[in-house]
Amino acid sequence: MPEGPGFRFATSGTIIFGPGSLPRVREKLPPEGAVLVVTGNDVSRARPLLDLIEEHGLEARVFPVAREPDIETVSRAREAGAEAECRAVVAIGGGSALDAGKAAAALIANPGDPRQYLEVVGEGNPLRSTPLPFIAVPTTAGTGSEATRNAVIACPEQSVKVSLRSYLLLPALAVVDPELALTLPPRPTAESGMDALAQLLEGFISLRASPLTDAIAREGLRAAGRGLRRAYRHGSDLEARTEMALAALCSGMVLANAGLGAPHGFAGPLGGMFPVPHGAACARLLAPALAVTLEALRRRGPGSPAETRLAEAGRLLSGREKAEAGDAVAWTAETAWDLGIRPLSAFGVTRADIPVLIEKAGRSSSMKGNPVALTEVEMTRILEEAIG
């Protein structure tokens, strides 16, 4: 459903996918000097990568990220990289590590207050200089940050998450090795996997979808349908992990080029106001947002292409030839239940918070991609269901 006859598509410079592919990180490492290595909180999970970098004759300046990055975190990462005169940035971990690394690569080359480049809370200025070469190595299957052109950053003072966004942020290299996710525990497997599913579904019905993002979304939805529940139940199942690594990669390419919708429109404000992980928020919001969007389409836009897309998504996810749009919603809700997705109330969200969340979500760029504009009453219904 593109807005016009043309479209633009951009993704990582090179993508290397497959079990055992981690050593190919060497292909984009600089010939000498230091490299900033941004990791998750458990640095030991990055040991194979650190060994590769050191064997390559480079100094690895390690910067662990304990939680989803905020302005202070990315500023400290920039300082660490600049101090060591790093010539590249490699990030290994989940979306938090990858987004922090992506932001650090940009900010090392673009000095000054990071807020001048941020959306919503800042000036939204374009980056003036090309970021340092950035290599993304995901260890979870969720955000698709290895193929996106933005870094999500929390702004505690405004209680919101915003994006540093530029085509210059696309990784020079993404190495997606499903073996790195084999030890990921069930809960982050579930929440990150549902985030990937949300990105695929939102992008598939987005107002900015194109024939190319459609094709990628279809492959991602098939992979998620085959792999999500299996990866949750049997974490050592490499085939299931490979399916989800593909689903997440596809979701990143889709969101970077087709945008998102209502679930992510709410997830940003929620993550800024409450200690709810991004994947957990999207996982809980997805089914009610799809259900309300489908009802709104049927009332205000009967025959919408988005309803046809949801029916196709139902077939791709369930494998049933006669699945309809409602079946995509049902499959998503059933999967969230099977995966033990927590209600938003578990993170302190109450119904009293709904007006503020709606007001903040209304300013989100993601909400603008939803195939139908939602009323305040409809957004309230989504949040009430997600809060539980």
Side-chain angles (χ1 to χ4, degrees), residues 12-386:
S12 303
T14 301
I15 297 171
I16 299 174
F17 182 97
S21 58
L22 178 63
R24 298 188 66 182
V25 164
R26 297 189 187 98
E27 294 184 15
K28 291 290 184 178
L29 290 175
E32 58 184 6
V35 175
L36 180 66
V37 181
V38 180
T39 74
N41 193 44
D42 184 1
V43 177
S44 66
R45 289 175 60 86
R47 190 68 256 170
L49 172 64
L50 295 173
D51 289 343
L52 284 170
I53 291 171
E54 290 164 4
E55 289 167 7
H56 198 70
L58 303 175
E59 175 193 350
R61 177 62 64 93
V62 179
F63 186 89
V65 176
R67 58 186 181 277
E68 295 181 354
D70 56 19
I71 292 177
E72 180 185 358
T73 300
V74 298
S75 295
R76 288 191 291 107
R78 171 175 65 183
E79 291 169 6
E83 180 182 82
E85 299 183 348
C86 291
R87 301 181 60 178
V89 178
V90 185
I92 180 168
S96 296
L98 268 58
D99 279 1
K102 198 181 294 183
L107 295 175
I108 289 170
N110 291 270
D113 189 336
R115 291 173 182 81
Q116 66 183 296
Y117 307 112
L118 296 179
E119 300 175 344
V120 183
V121 301
E123 302 168 34
N125 292 331
L127 297 174
R128 294 189 294 269
S129 301
T130 301
L132 295 188
F134 174 64
I135 301 173
V137 185
T139 62
T140 65
T143 66
S145 186
E146 65 271 17
T148 65
R149 57 186 176 90
N150 68 300
V152 179
I153 300 170
C155 302
E157 293 177 1
Q158 292 84 7
S159 298
V160 70
K161 290 180 182 179
V162 298
S163 281
L164 172 62
R165 193 184 307 273
S166 170
Y167 282 102
L168 296 175
L169 288 178
L170 287 162
L173 172 65
V175 176
V176 185
D177 185 344
E179 290 182 357
L180 299 177
L182 288 173
T183 59
L184 190 67
R187 176 168 285 174
T189 295
E191 293 175 350
S192 61
M194 288 293 292
D195 184 19
L197 176 64
Q199 291 168 176
L200 290 164
L201 286 167
E202 291 172 59
F204 197 43
I205 64 174
S206 167
L207 294 173
R208 294 171 48 206
S210 73
L212 193 50
T213 60
D214 289 346
I216 295 169
R218 290 184 180 102
E219 289 304 312
L221 288 167
R222 288 190 188 96
R226 294 187 297 256
L228 180 51
R229 297 185 195 187
R230 283 173 53 198
Y232 173 72
R233 293 170 183 157
H234 308 286
S236 61
D237 183 337
L238 181 57
E239 183 178 13
R241 293 294 191 183
T242 302
E243 295 279 20
M244 287 312 300
L246 178 61
L249 174 63
C250 288
S251 80
M253 289 190 281
V254 169
L255 83 84
N257 294 282
L260 294 165
H264 275 78
F266 286 120
L270 276 164
M273 294 172 61
F274 299 94
V276 51
H278 175 74
C282 294
R284 185 64 181 183
L285 287 159
L286 181 56
L290 288 177
V292 170
T293 294
L294 180 57
E295 290 179 15
L297 284 168
R298 287 173 170 170
R299 284 196 303 270
R300 299 197 289 276
S304 164
E307 183 173 353
T308 302
R309 295 296 182 84
L310 276 176
E312 184 179 358
R315 294 190 290 273
L316 292 168
L317 290 167
S318 69
R320 294 192 289 111
E321 293 183 4
K322 296 184 179 181
E324 299 179 352
D327 295 310
V329 179
W331 191 95
T332 301
E334 291 164 5
T335 300
W337 175 265
D338 288 347
L339 272 54
I341 298 302
R342 295 167 286 176
L344 296 181
S345 59
F347 304 96
V349 187
T350 71
R351 296 193 176 199
D353 300 306
I354 288 177
V356 175
L357 288 168
I358 289 175
E359 189 273 329
K360 289 188 174 185
R363 300 198 299 266
S364 165
S365 59
S366 293
M367 196 66 79
K368 295 177 175 61
N370 212 56
V372 59
L374 300 175
T375 67
E376 185 173 325
V377 171
E378 289 165 340
M379 289 191 281
T380 298
R381 284 180 53 204
I382 293 169
L383 289 171
E384 287 178 338
E385 174 65 24

